[in-house]
Amino acid sequence: MESPPYAEAPLIVTLRLDEHSTAIFDELRRRHFPPRLNRIGAHLTLFHQLPAGSVRTVLADLREVAPPPFDLEVARPMLLGRGVAIEVRSARLQELHRQLAERWSEWLTPQDRQRLRPHITVQNKVDPAEARRLHAALARTQYWPTVLATGWSVWRYLGGPWLPEADVPFTRPE
């Protein structure tokens, strides 16, 4: 039996967020991300490129370290030069990322070896002046919701679009 063509596509691991928060960030992306480039919804990327053949190990590790759902603090907008992201803070997320990076150290690209700077990109690949305007507008926001981390998502990177591979939900303790 022949493997599907996407079977050799590298893996991306993201943090799943609660539905309410995802809707807020999706709306920001819909309004501010160039439509031709907005191929997936709002997300928080943890690992950008894991080997295609590692999917079983990745899923097993994600299941093993999956905590109960936990809160993330939405800190502030970040200017990315040609875009804007919303910074997210969580000591729990930093520790989980460290544990996974340790397990997957032999696979990590230089980008994924760096310290995690969790964020949700709401605009990218626009004129820097447009990014500065959005950053200034979002910096005036008085209230950001607390976001609930609800699980992991694993994707296949297809050179632009992402194909969902699997979700690993966080479960509440019995």
Side-chain angles (χ1 to χ4, degrees), residues 82-167:
R82 295 187 45 161
V84 176
I86 308 300
E87 179 186 8
V88 175
R89 295 182 185 152
S90 167
R92 182 80 181 263
L93 180 60
Q94 291 289 348
E95 176 57 21
L96 290 164
H97 183 268
R98 186 197 63 72
Q99 289 175 25
L100 291 167
E102 193 173 277
R103 289 172 183 235
W104 303 336
S105 64
E106 66 190 54
W107 299 333
L108 299 183
T109 63
Q111 180 181 21
D112 285 337
R113 289 183 191 281
Q114 295 176 15
R115 182 180 171 276
L116 179 66
R117 294 186 53 193
H119 64 277
I120 301 162
T121 303
V122 296
Q123 181 187 63
N124 205 1
K125 298 184 173 79
V126 300
D127 182 87
E130 184 179 344
R132 285 191 300 276
R133 284 191 294 277
L134 177 59
H135 179 264
L138 293 177
R140 292 189 294 272
T141 299
Q142 296 299 309
Y143 170 77
W144 290 100
T146 298
V147 174
L148 185 67
T150 62
W152 316 112
S153 291
V154 178
W155 307 80
R156 296 276 181 179
Y157 180 67
L158 304 178
W162 295 12
L163 179 69
E165 177 73 29
D167 287 323

